[in-house]
């Protein structure tokens, strides 16, 4: 499984503000040990989830147009290209700008490394 790849785990950790998250959770140093109380572990997990959901990752609903920055509307799908497939995107959404008519592709990546790079996604 890709999420178990040590190099991807190091990359994810390099993006994580561990010191700030530990401070938020009430941990004195950015490390966990077997003796760390369960309540502090839970507080760190909660701080990590909040940071990931609200600060690190962008949850995409409507895509902004890259040309005029107006909102786009979904108009269907497109076949994934080789690069999309390489990163696990078996579906590609196509959105059309309501202002200038530009089409915008949104590959639904399923690769943790690519998601760390783009930091954008959507549920469902």
């Amino acid at each position: 499984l890709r999420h178990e790849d040590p190099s991807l785990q190091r990359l994810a950790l390099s993006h994580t503000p561990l010191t700030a998250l530990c401070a938020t959770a009430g941990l004195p140093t950015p490390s966990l040990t077997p003796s760390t109380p369960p309540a502090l572990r839970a507080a760190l997990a909660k701080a990590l989830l909040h940071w990931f959901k609200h600060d690190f990752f962008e949850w995409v609903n409507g895509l902004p147009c890259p040309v005029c920055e107006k909102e786009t509307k979904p108009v269907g799908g497109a076949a994934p290209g080789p690069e999309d497939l390489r990163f696990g995107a078996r579906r590609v959404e196509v959105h059309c700008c309501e202002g200038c008519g530009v089409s915008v592709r949104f590959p639904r990546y399923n690769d943790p490394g690519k998601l760390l790079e783009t930091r954008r996604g959507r549920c469902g």
Side-chain angles (χ1 to χ4, degrees):
L1 297 173
R2 292 273 296 148
H3 65 276
E4 293 178 356
D5 180 333
S7 63
L8 284 176
Q9 290 177 356
R10 282 190 298 277
L11 179 61
L13 192 56
S14 75
H15 287 286
T16 306
L18 194 54
T19 302
L21 294 172
C22 285
T24 299
L27 283 168
T29 60
S31 64
L32 290 175
T33 66
S35 64
T36 302
L40 287 179
R41 289 174 180 267
L44 180 58
K46 186 175 178 180
L48 176 65
L49 289 171
H50 184 273
W51 166 79
F52 179 81
K53 189 173 180 181
H54 297 283
D55 299 324
F56 179 74
F57 207 72
E58 177 186 352
W59 300 102
V60 175
N61 287 322
L63 295 170
C65 175
V67 175
C68 70
E69 297 183 3
K70 291 189 177 176
E71 193 166 323
T72 63
K73 295 277 185 187
V75 294
E83 185 77 359
D84 301 323
L85 292 170
R86 183 173 153 226
F87 294 109
R90 303 208 189 300
R91 287 187 356 205
V92 176
E93 298 174 0
V94 177
H95 295 244
C96 186
C97 177
E98 295 179 321
C100 67
V102 164
S103 289
V104 181
R105 295 176 82 253
F106 186 71
R108 300 293 301 273
Y109 295 120
N110 197 26
D111 180 87
K114 188 66 171 177
L115 291 170
L116 282 170
E117 177 189 323
T118 65
R119 296 172 59 171
R120 294 173 47 149
R122 57 191 282 137
C123 294

